[in-house]
Amino acid sequence: MQRSTLVGLKVGLIALLIFIAMIGTSTNAPATEWLKEAFLGISFTFAFGLGAPEALAYVLTGVIFVAIFCAGYFVGKKASAKLDK
């Protein structure tokens, strides 16, 4: 595996963890519950705020989490590739 791919995976994971921590710290829950709180909080926003059905809200929340990871991955991979040159 190339170095830039590994850096991209690490940056993507860190971006996702920072996003979860930002949402999770706004609740009075232990750190072990932050992922669940972030997922359910965003799902609630889609369901109540936008009026989406419950199943669609869960799918959209999953898409948001994957999109944040992918964005971090591509940023990390591009930055690492530029530093390698």
Side-chain angles (χ1 to χ4, degrees):
M1 200 179 269
Q2 292 180 349
R3 180 175 171 225
S4 61
T5 303
L6 290 174
V7 170
L9 288 173
K10 289 177 186 178
V11 171
L13 183 61
I14 289 171
L16 186 60
L17 290 175
I18 289 172
F19 178 73
I20 290 170
M22 284 175 25
I23 294 176
T25 55
S26 65
T27 64
N28 193 15
T32 57
E33 299 290 321
W34 284 358
L35 176 60
K36 183 177 83 171
E37 292 293 328
F39 190 85
L40 293 177
I42 296 172
S43 296
F44 175 77
T45 301
F46 282 128
F48 185 73
L50 298 178
E54 183 179 344
L56 180 61
Y58 290 140
V59 170
L60 290 174
T61 303
V63 168
I64 294 292
F65 277 40
V66 170
I68 290 171
F69 176 80
C70 288
Y73 170 78
F74 288 120
V75 167
K77 186 170 177 151
K78 289 290 183 184
S80 179
K82 287 198 182 253
L83 292 175
D84 286 342
K85 290 182 179 181

